[in-house]
Amino acid sequence: MLKHLELLLLVAALPFGTATAQTASPGDPGEAAAAVTVDSLAAIPTVEPEVAAPPEVGPATVLTIQDFPNDAGDHLILSFCESPNPECVLAYLVMRRTPGAPDSLGGQWAVVKNVPSGDPTEIVDGYDPDFLVEPGTQYEYRVDVLTLDGRQIEGPAVTPNFSPKGEIFHTEKLKVLIGCIIFIGLIFLYFKRAQMGHELYLRPIPGIDAIDEAIGRATEMGKPILYVPGLSSIEDVATIASLTILNRVAKKVAEYQTPLRVPNRDPIVYTVAEETVKQAYMEAGRPDSYEANSVFFVTDSQFAYVAAVNGLMTREKPATNFYLGMFWAESLLLAETGSLSGAIQIAGTDAITQLPFFITTCDYTLIGEELYAASAYLGREPKQVGGVKGQDACKGIVMALVTIGIVLSIVDIFTGGAADPSKSLLLKLQGLVDVTSLE
Amino acid sequence: MYETIGLSVAAIFTLAVFSFLYKENPLYRFAEHIVVGASLGYSIVVTYQRVLYPRLVEPVSHGQELILLIPAIMGLLYVTRFFPRIAWMSRYPMAFLLGTGMGVAFPYDMQTLVLRQIQSTMIPLYTPGAPWFDTLGAFVIVFGTLSAIIYFFFSKPHKGPFFGFGSKVGIWIIMIGFGATFGFTVMGRISLLIGRVQFLLGDWLGLLN
């Protein structure tokens, strides 16, 4: 930061300094008063202003270029040797180009990293979304020196004799793989048990029990049901959970012949929601009742979407509003308007920051994982109930690990591990789930 | 000149949206439709200029990265929804997206939401020489997490000393956490409102210094 300021001041000072030197001489009153003839003026030898030669600054050179380990071939590690005159250097510009490629596709030199002087000289290239590293592409690098007086001194270009390659398996993710296998294994185990006819208990959740009641209310009032499947993309678990619930809701709606409105923000979610509702009407045996305009795309702009849905709520006055999925700042805006319109509201999300708003403005709220479990509750299909049971077993493992941690923490107090980390049993257990190196 | 017009348009639209506080009215409806239409048009242009053109059209037109044609064709399959006879083809990109979405999300969630959380909960309850509130904080983190997990057990009735008491403590902990989040977020919203009022009174009307 200071170096940037220094450079700015230096650049700003140069023209002012020159201007002062040029205007001071003719404007000097002493000189104007002197009787100096034109001839004598001509006799005065011209004095060239003394300009100090810029100091010689040596270039920086690329030392090594290595492929980044455990990646998808989209990163390279580059280290460089600093200029021999670091006191004159403001920053180093790591430049990259793809030899032979058109200029618009990385064929010309571009600054991929600006390293201030004094910062580490090893960088990882590929994090900048504007200058991504493509696997299998041969790159050429050079490091330019940006001097304090604003010059850019080119370094020699280096082309590594390899191109970035991805690895099939990220060796540091072994713990994650083991965790996934255990969790998936447990869920499949309970799937199997449910399919074999074992009776699996699910405790009642008020919010889920109220869904049928809310659909019935809308039917009795002859008003539509509004279903907001969240504002996230299809990859979001909450969106998928919401679409599964939408299937159940749409089936009921089809049975009761109640109008349904499903406004969407994401184009892909819109197409999936449309398919889901259409399918539900077919499963209910009423494909003819399906209204093509009941599921519609609004816009992908967050607050424009809210404005449209709020307008819909106040104009059509739906009797029941469902907000199930992923929400951000719009949650309160939607739920508050729905509350004012007098609708019964059921919300559910895994967005911790938005849950308080739903809790305060909605009649029922599904908190976090209750949203994921809702589908199993509504359908009572053995597979889905088995899945919920399997997830409970996974939670049991998590609780067991934390409890072992508590016990080891107490043991550490008596064995001296609490004061000496090398003797700590708790830290050894913590090491088993340590994934900080992946962040 | 253009700046003044821009400011006035922004201010009028702000007031139009604020008019919803009274009731739904034609002015709000006008603003709503303009915002929805403009945002959609804008997003189409941005998607083309920032994504489609630089990431697909340009490399492919130069004969590079021809593999991009596969996702491009999959994307085009969505258009088949307009033709009922071949509309079934649009299910392929949907299935692909859902499958990859889940496949990518699962290990990532295992890493960040499960393993990392377990690691952060495995903390020493007591550290010699640490102040008392650190010890209290450690107890709240560890036992608060355990009781909140108990609340989310669906296959056991919330009865008895373990599941009954544990889930009651759990829901209290969750609600206290939500209360804190609520207060924090409301403060943020108030600052947004202040920003808008400053815009109306300062930037637009020039009543503020």
Side-chain angles (χ1 to χ4, degrees), chain A residues 104-105 201 203 240 268 274-275 299-300 307 314-315 329 367 370 392 395 409 426 430 434 439, chain B residues 24 28-29 32 39 43 58 64 78 81 91 102 116 119 122 124-125 151-155 158 189:
Chain A
S104 57
L105 292 172
Y201 169 82
R203 74 169 169 84
I240 292 174
I268 311 291
E274 194 181 32
E275 281 290 315
T299 172
D300 64 353
T314 47
R315 284 190 288 273
I367 302 170
E370 288 177 351
D392 276 4
K395 284 174 224 160
S409 154
L426 177 67
Q430 211 183 44
D434 187 0
E439 290 167 5
Chain B
E24 207 268 347
Y28 172 78
R29 215 174 300 167
E32 174 199 325
S39 67
S43 71
E58 198 168 21
Q64 294 188 336
Y78 274 108
R81 297 187 68 78
R91 291 185 174 194
M102 287 298 96
R116 190 73 181 89
Q119 187 190 350
M122 284 179 180
L125 289 176
Y151 175 78
F152 286 107
F153 262 85
F154 299 114
S155 57
H158 283 177
R189 298 291 169 85

Side-chain angles (χ1 to χ4, degrees), chain B residues 42-64:
Chain B
Y42 179 75
S43 71
I44 289 170
V45 174
V46 168
T47 307
Y48 180 75
Q49 288 190 338
R50 300 275 303 172
V51 184
L52 277 179
Y53 186 75
R55 301 261 164 104
L56 175 72
V57 178
E58 198 168 21
V60 171
S61 63
H62 283 95
Q64 294 188 336

Side-chain angles (χ1 to χ4, degrees), chain B residues 8-24:
Chain B
S8 299
V9 168
I12 290 165
F13 273 97
T14 304
L15 292 173
V17 173
F18 277 173
S19 71
F20 186 76
L21 291 168
Y22 171 59
K23 68 172 188 180
E24 207 268 347

Side-chain angles (χ1 to χ4, degrees), chain B residues 147-197:
Chain B
S147 50
I149 295 174
I150 291 171
Y151 175 78
F152 286 107
F153 262 85
F154 299 114
S155 57
K156 295 282 177 197
H158 283 177
K159 287 175 187 165
F162 185 74
F163 282 103
F165 179 72
S167 64
K168 273 196 181 69
V169 176
I171 196 67
W172 270 96
I173 294 277
I174 290 167
M175 288 303 156
I176 290 168
F178 285 164
T181 311
F182 187 88
F184 181 74
T185 315
V186 165
M187 282 201 307
R189 298 291 169 85
I190 295 290
S191 71
L192 284 178
L193 176 67
I194 291 169
R196 211 82 289 256
V197 173

Side-chain angles (χ1 to χ4, degrees), chain A residues 56-76:
Chain A
E56 281 296 317
V57 180
T61 48
V62 175
L63 272 184
T64 57
I65 300 170
Q66 295 167 288
D67 195 11
F68 196 84
N70 283 324
D71 72 341
D74 50 1
H75 293 94
L76 285 168

Side-chain angles (χ1 to χ4, degrees), chain A residues 76-162:
Chain A
L76 285 168
I77 307 170
L78 180 140
S79 68
F80 61 90
C81 183
E82 287 191 77
S83 160
N85 319 88
E87 68 283 355
C88 304
V89 179
L90 179 66
Y92 296 96
L93 307 176
V94 180
M95 315 282 287
R96 188 185 82 193
R97 74 170 178 180
T98 313
D103 285 356
S104 57
L105 292 172
Q108 62 181 357
W109 288 106
V111 182
V112 291
K113 188 91 177 174
N114 186 332
V115 183
S117 176
D119 277 15
T121 54
E122 185 176 279
I123 62 132
V124 178
D125 183 22
Y127 286 121
D128 189 337
D130 289 331
F131 301 103
L132 294 173
V133 169
E134 298 290 344
T137 308
Q138 187 81 43
Y139 292 106
E140 190 174 13
Y141 283 93
R142 75 165 202 244
V143 178
D144 288 3
V145 175
L146 188 63
T147 63
L148 286 170
D149 52 12
R151 288 175 294 148
Q152 186 169 336
I153 297 161
E154 281 186 20
V158 174
T159 310
N161 56 2
F162 65 90

